[in-house]
Amino acid sequence: LIQFQKGQTSTPPPFEIFLCFGEEWPDQKPKEKKLITVQVVPVAARLLLEMFSGELSWSADSIPLHISHPDLKDRMVEQFKELHQLWQSQQRLPLVQPPPG
């Protein structure tokens, strides 16, 4: 993610996690032909990628997190709000030139 953000790679890192149940995997069959597959998308990873790629399209007040412990969800949402505000404030700051000498 850091390399993508710095422009050192043109391909964003994958953040989806695929799980297969009841069969060997990986094998010759594509995941679409498996009996049971689950795709997990970590919201934090997706949001960070969107933020660093400039495609931030979410509202921090409407993050659809599905975490079983409500206190953890509330803390994560607040941390994302703070991170988003920090990122926005850094985008507005002019570049500071170091003092001569």
Side-chain angles (χ1 to χ4, degrees):
L1 182 61
I2 292 170
Q3 289 175 341
F4 178 71
Q5 190 266 337
K6 290 181 176 181
Q8 296 172 348
T9 180
S10 60
T11 307
F15 54 84
E16 297 95 354
I17 301 166
F18 291 94
L19 305 172
C20 177
F21 296 94
E23 295 181 71
E24 291 286 327
W25 192 49
D27 60 6
Q28 303 299 331
K29 288 172 67 175
K31 66 180 176 272
E32 294 80 15
K33 300 281 186 181
K34 292 297 185 177
L35 182 62
I36 300 172
T37 57
V38 176
Q39 179 183 10
V40 179
V41 179
V43 174
R46 187 192 66 196
L47 294 176
L48 287 172
L49 179 62
E50 288 179 2
M51 186 171 62
F52 286 135
S53 67
E55 298 175 7
L56 192 61
S57 61
W58 57 275
S59 166
D61 294 325
S62 63
I63 299 173
L65 296 178
H66 301 286
I67 299 173
S68 59
H69 193 280
D71 293 336
L72 179 60
K73 175 185 172 188
D74 294 339
R75 282 193 308 241
M76 283 185 70
V77 169
E78 289 304 315
Q79 289 172 348
F80 277 120
K81 286 180 184 179
E82 291 173 20
L83 182 61
H84 184 247
Q85 289 170 351
L86 178 63
W87 180 76
Q88 283 183 323
S89 66
Q90 289 180 348
Q91 297 299 314
R92 290 188 206 117
L93 293 176
L95 293 176
V96 178
Q97 298 292 330

